[in-house]
Amino acid sequence: MIIIGELINSTRKAIKRAIDEQDVAFIQDLAVKQEEAGADYIDVNAGAYVHEEGKHLIWLVETVQAVVSKPLTLDSPDPKALEAAMKVHKGVPMINSISAEKERYNQVMPLVKESGAQVIALCMSDDGMPETADERLEVAKRLLSDLDKDGIDLTNVFLDPLIKPVSVNGEYGPQALDAIERIAVLGSGAHITSGLSNISFGLPHRALLNQAFIVLAMGRGMDSAIVDPLDKKKMSLVKAVEVILNLDPYAMNYLKASRAGRLI
Amino acid sequence: MIIIGELINSTRKAIKRAIDEQDVAFIQDLAVKQEEAGADYIDVNAGAYVHEEGKHLIWLVETVQAVVSKPLTLDSPDPKALEAAMKVHKGVPMINSISAEKERYNQVMPLVKESGAQVIALCMSDDGMPETADERLEVAKRLLSDLDKDGIDLTNVFLDPLIKPVSVNGEYGPQALDAIERIAVLGSGAHITSGLSNISFGLPHRALLNQAFIVLAMGRGMDSAIVDPLDKKKMSLVKAVEVILNLDPYAMNYLKASRAGRLI
């Protein structure tokens, strides 16, 4: 399971404050904690700064890379901000995100191609957000076909089926899980990821719903998630699922996590 | 999700002691706690008493039914013990269990038929325990066909695919989940249940693995489980899964459980 740590996001109050005050220690502490908790990528987002996104994204990249060795996920729909951040990022980053929206695709794709970056591809087109598994699958196929034609290695692609809240429509859960399975069985080589906490929007005990959803989604073929890696229970469940699905031969990682006191 | 509370089992030391000493209060307390925690059936097992199983099973039935209103699951492979216990059980019980083993089937089936009881049917034949999903599916189909021919209402049947420890063979997890899905899609009307804690045998943090497994199994179509209902985290995850799979319209049960302080 490829874990993308989501906590350094300027839409969160504590992060906005830290960026405003250039609080290096706060950001670095959160970056290190996420890496220690098992994040494979650290997402950085400065989207709260409409006119200064690039500047703040650069600051986040430099601040975080000073203390962690894992690559970052540069989280912006703005090609200019992405390009600026990529220039200072050491090593190959992940880009979050591209989509099947024509303008966004055409602007972000060249950045992906030049850099050989990993890229999150949202299953969203100019027709809007998908509702059903069918619609997600259709956009996913189009993205895979276009990215392949444009010379992108599909093993660098992380398709995001876009999870919607079950509180809005009870069918959004089954439709999302069906979409994940149907994308997985395409066997394209692309990963499947998701900012899954949307599933629980509007309901109490959101962490509980998110934990249940990540397990269900892994059972249907999702192999990455954009999550809070400091949720110890969720990360423990991920390790347990890897054992049950035989993705962790001889339970080596699970036993290591157990010995390190990481399982609850 | 139909929950069968597994705690009153004489193979557990504390229960054996309570039966030895005819400790009514201890057994009743455990029965009430399981019912309060959401068990739909309370399993009672006196299998530790080889020559006096019937006698002790009768005592368990009378002791437990004095304080709970949910039906009991009479847990014995011995038709004589089952028959004795059924005579004192008020209302229609569940029988645990029948199998495709010829002798066992022929002895237990008439008890099921006469009483109209629910019955757990183990996917095990005279050829032994199944290894693969294929083998489980084959035995499941035979059981469904035989029970149907013998006039048993299949909606009273709870097929148990028999879960084996992933510590023994890493493929036992995927095979069990595949079996569940393939039995579910038969659309026979039968339920699928399982004493799922076997999955984690031989590994640390067993409760964690059991929690992950119940979520995965529900995702593939399991609609019942034989579990410890006092594991609050597991029961919370079950409620969350029901919301995500749209089995709990408008999250009514989930919100009720939340208000009652039952979710963690």
Side-chain angles (χ1 to χ4, degrees):
Chain A
M1 191 71 171
I2 300 166
I3 299 290
I4 302 163
E6 71 183 1
L7 294 178
I8 302 179
N9 190 313
S10 61
T11 62
R12 299 176 64 222
K13 245 190 228 167
I15 304 299
K16 177 75 163 55
R17 188 217 42 89
I19 299 174
D20 283 342
E21 300 173 12
Q22 304 277 289
D23 185 344
V24 169
F26 183 87
I27 296 292
Q28 290 186 335
D29 178 60
L30 206 51
V32 169
K33 276 187 182 147
Q34 289 184 88
E35 183 176 45
E36 284 174 356
D40 300 292
Y41 293 85
I42 311 291
D43 192 277
V44 287
N45 173 305
Y49 300 89
V50 180
H51 299 296
E52 296 182 300
E53 189 178 351
K55 174 184 132 188
H56 291 296
L57 201 56
I58 287 172
W59 180 77
L60 284 176
V61 170
E62 290 178 334
T63 301
V64 172
Q65 283 207 310
V67 289
V68 306
S69 61
K70 293 285 164 63
L72 307 194
T73 298
L74 308 175
D75 185 355
S76 170
D78 176 6
K80 283 198 196 98
L82 286 173
E83 199 172 2
M86 287 170 83
K87 276 195 187 129
V88 298
H89 185 279
K90 291 176 273 180
V92 180
M94 179 185 278
I95 291 175
N96 183 10
S97 55
I98 201 167
S99 77
E101 296 157 298
K102 209 176 168 93
E103 191 184 337
R104 188 164 176 181
Y105 182 91
N106 289 335
Q107 291 181 331
V108 178
M109 193 276 296
L111 297 177
V112 178
K113 191 168 178 177
E114 277 165 38
S115 61
Q118 318 274 311
V119 63
I120 296 174
L122 308 179
C123 291
M124 180 164 64
S125 70
D126 290 312
D127 299 333
M129 285 274 285
E131 282 278 314
T132 64
D134 282 343
E135 286 168 24
R136 286 180 174 83
L137 186 68
E138 200 187 307
V139 181
K141 281 178 173 172
R142 208 171 96 203
L143 275 165
L144 290 171
S145 163
D146 289 351
L147 288 164
D148 186 46
K149 267 185 221 150
D150 286 325
I152 308 294
D153 179 350
L154 293 185
T155 63
N156 283 338
V157 176
F158 287 68
L159 287 165
D160 182 341
L162 293 174
I163 307 303
K164 298 168 89 169
V166 292
S167 61
V168 173
N169 183 334
E171 269 306 299
Y172 283 166
Q175 291 293 333
L177 293 168
D178 278 359
I180 287 167
E181 178 161 333
R182 291 167 69 188
I183 293 170
V185 299
L186 292 176
S188 67
H191 303 276
I192 303 173
T193 197
S194 167
L196 49 84
S197 62
N198 228 13
I199 196 81
S200 59
F201 180 80
L203 286 169
H205 294 279
R206 292 191 64 180
L208 169 65
L209 286 159
N210 297 347
Q211 288 157 7
F213 186 72
I214 197 171
V215 174
L216 289 168
M218 288 177 77
R220 304 292 280 275
M222 190 176 80
D223 66 346
S224 172
I226 306 162
V227 292
D228 171 7
L230 305 189
D231 180 336
K232 201 169 169 181
K233 186 70 200 183
K234 191 193 288 153
M235 295 295 278
S236 297
L237 284 165
V238 166
K239 291 262 172 290
V241 172
E242 287 176 332
V243 172
I244 294 168
L245 297 182
N246 204 14
L247 302 171
D248 177 12
Y250 305 105
M252 301 264 278
N253 288 333
Y254 181 84
L255 292 169
K256 199 173 138 192
S258 172
R259 283 190 298 268
R262 291 206 174 283
L263 300 184
I264 55 168
Chain B
M1 191 71 170
I2 300 167
I3 298 291
I4 302 164
E6 70 182 3
L7 294 178
I8 303 180
N9 189 313
S10 60
T11 62
R12 299 177 65 222
K13 244 190 228 169
I15 304 300
K16 176 75 162 55
R17 190 221 35 94
I19 299 175
D20 282 342
E21 300 173 10
Q22 304 278 290
D23 186 343
V24 168
F26 183 87
I27 296 292
Q28 290 187 335
D29 178 59
L30 206 51
V32 168
K33 275 186 182 147
Q34 289 184 88
E35 183 175 46
E36 284 173 356
D40 300 291
Y41 292 85
I42 311 292
D43 191 277
V44 287
N45 173 304
Y49 300 89
V50 181
H51 298 296
E52 295 181 300
E53 189 178 350
K55 176 183 131 189
H56 291 297
L57 200 56
I58 287 173
W59 180 76
L60 284 176
V61 170
E62 290 178 333
T63 302
V64 172
Q65 283 207 310
V67 290
V68 306
S69 61
K70 294 286 163 63
L72 307 195
T73 299
L74 308 175
D75 184 357
S76 170
D78 175 7
K80 284 198 195 96
L82 287 173
E83 199 172 2
M86 287 171 81
K87 276 195 186 127
V88 299
H89 186 278
K90 292 175 272 180
V92 180
M94 179 186 279
I95 291 174
N96 182 10
S97 54
I98 201 167
S99 77
E101 295 158 297
K102 208 177 168 92
E103 190 183 336
R104 189 164 176 180
Y105 182 91
N106 288 335
Q107 289 181 332
V108 178
M109 191 277 295
L111 298 177
V112 179
K113 190 167 180 178
E114 277 164 39
S115 62
Q118 319 273 310
V119 63
I120 296 174
L122 309 179
C123 291
M124 178 165 65
S125 71
D126 291 312
D127 299 332
M129 285 273 284
E131 282 278 313
T132 64
D134 282 343
E135 287 168 25
R136 286 180 174 83
L137 186 68
E138 200 187 308
V139 181
K141 281 180 174 171
R142 207 171 97 202
L143 276 165
L144 291 170
S145 164
D146 289 351
L147 289 164
D148 187 46
K149 267 186 220 151
D150 286 323
I152 309 295
D153 179 349
L154 293 186
T155 62
N156 284 338
V157 176
F158 287 67
L159 289 165
D160 182 341
L162 294 174
I163 307 304
K164 297 167 90 169
V166 291
S167 61
V168 173
N169 183 334
E171 268 306 300
Y172 282 166
Q175 290 293 331
L177 294 168
D178 278 359
I180 288 166
E181 179 161 333
R182 291 167 69 187
I183 293 170
V185 299
L186 292 176
S188 67
H191 303 276
I192 303 175
T193 197
S194 168
L196 50 83
S197 61
N198 229 14
I199 197 80
S200 59
F201 179 80
L203 286 169
H205 295 279
R206 292 191 64 180
L208 169 64
L209 285 159
N210 297 346
Q211 288 157 7
F213 186 72
I214 198 170
V215 174
L216 289 168
M218 289 177 75
R220 304 291 282 274
M222 191 174 79
D223 66 345
S224 170
I226 307 162
V227 292
D228 171 6
L230 305 189
D231 179 335
K232 201 168 168 180
K233 186 70 201 181
K234 191 192 290 153
M235 295 294 279
S236 297
L237 285 165
V238 166
K239 292 262 172 289
V241 172
E242 287 176 333
V243 172
I244 294 168
L245 297 181
N246 204 13
L247 302 171
D248 177 13
Y250 305 103
M252 300 263 278
N253 288 331
Y254 181 85
L255 292 169
K256 200 173 138 192
S258 172
R259 282 191 298 268
R262 292 205 173 283
L263 301 184
I264 57 169

